[in-house]
Amino acid sequence: QLLTGKQEAETIYSGVAYTFTNNLSNKRLVIDIGGASTELIIGEGHIANKAVSLDVGCVSFREKYFTDKQLSEQNFSAAIKAATALIQPISAEYMTLGWQSVVGSSGTIQALTEILSHRQQSLIITSLFLQEIKQLLIKSKSIEHVNLSGLRADRKPVLASGLCILIALFDCLQIKELELSTGALREGLLHQMLPNFSN
């Protein structure tokens, strides 16, 4: 079954809600940065109240803004500006709805959390941390030379592009901090297959 962008977003929220049980009563914003799209969902408990799928992904952005594999300030700026242009039209509505916590469920967010874990730091992603990683990537000069402690080799090719999308999300939605959720689309689909699923 092929899911629409909205269905994918709602299913991702379901996967997060049933695996990330901290503060279930709080309204939360869920972010999932995929290869070709990014899903943004606001929900409470197990119910997704607002879901959107944006045409901005870490693979598509890498192919468009990091084709030369160079990690220059110019490439980062172009990617962040493009992501901002796609997020901005929905930012006012999302911020009006509001949330108490922000949870992420993508490979980019997993990679950043693994770096924090390796450093034995709190597993909370902040804007300051994103800017630090951006500068470290720029110092690497190219994707091939990225060498961040705690970063798996298979995550290197799309970290810069995913980071640009996340920086734009933090800026547009004025996000202060974000936590990782291990549940996402797969877990949401599995939950919907349960006999007592009623949503």
Side-chain angles (χ1 to χ4, degrees):
Q1 181 187 353
L2 191 63
L3 300 178
T4 65
K6 187 171 182 294
Q7 286 173 326
E8 182 180 355
E10 290 170 346
T11 305
I12 287 167
Y13 182 83
S14 179
V16 170
Y18 281 88
T19 55
F20 191 87
T21 55
N22 294 359
N23 300 320
L24 257 185
S25 59
N26 280 0
K27 190 187 286 188
R28 64 163 69 103
L29 169 65
V30 173
I31 294 170
D32 187 277
I33 302 169
S37 65
T38 291
E39 280 64 51
L40 301 174
I41 314 102
I42 293 177
E44 292 178 76
H46 299 300
I47 308 299
N49 297 324
K50 177 70 180 177
V52 69
S53 181
L54 302 174
D55 291 328
V56 49
C58 59
V59 174
S60 57
F61 263 48
R62 181 196 64 197
E63 291 171 354
K64 192 166 185 181
Y65 299 102
F66 298 93
T67 47
D68 54 4
K69 295 188 178 180
Q70 297 304 298
L71 299 173
S72 65
E73 185 76 56
Q74 291 80 5
N75 286 356
F76 272 94
S77 295
I80 292 168
K81 185 178 178 182
T84 298
L86 291 166
I87 299 160
Q88 205 74 58
I90 59 97
S91 61
E93 182 183 3
Y94 266 64
M95 289 177 67
T96 299
L97 289 168
W99 53 80
Q100 278 81 50
S101 60
V102 186
V103 184
S105 60
S106 69
T108 296
I109 293 162
Q110 175 79 45
L112 293 168
T113 303
E114 286 166 2
I115 294 169
L116 287 169
S117 178
H118 183 82
R119 294 178 175 185
Q120 297 185 320
Q121 293 179 340
S122 173
L123 304 183
I124 303 290
I125 294 169
T126 63
S127 183
L128 195 64
F129 175 63
L130 296 181
Q131 292 301 326
E132 180 195 346
I133 297 299
K134 176 188 164 188
Q135 291 308 316
L136 289 173
L137 289 174
I138 289 171
K139 280 183 183 177
S140 300
K141 295 188 176 177
S142 76
I143 289 173
E144 291 167 349
H145 296 140
V146 169
N147 186 25
L148 298 178
S149 297
L151 180 67
R152 283 176 14 199
D154 63 321
R155 299 199 191 277
K156 290 181 184 181
V158 291
L159 181 62
S161 50
L163 184 73
C164 290
I165 295 165
L166 201 50
I167 287 172
L169 285 165
F170 264 66
D171 289 346
C172 291
L173 300 175
Q174 295 178 21
I175 296 168
K176 291 181 173 61
E177 57 183 44
L178 177 154
E179 282 185 84
L180 172 72
S181 167
T182 53
L185 183 64
R186 177 179 54 193
E187 290 75 13
L189 288 167
L190 288 170
H191 175 254
Q192 290 178 7
M193 290 167 68
L194 295 175
N196 63 348
F197 177 75
S198 59
N199 240 346

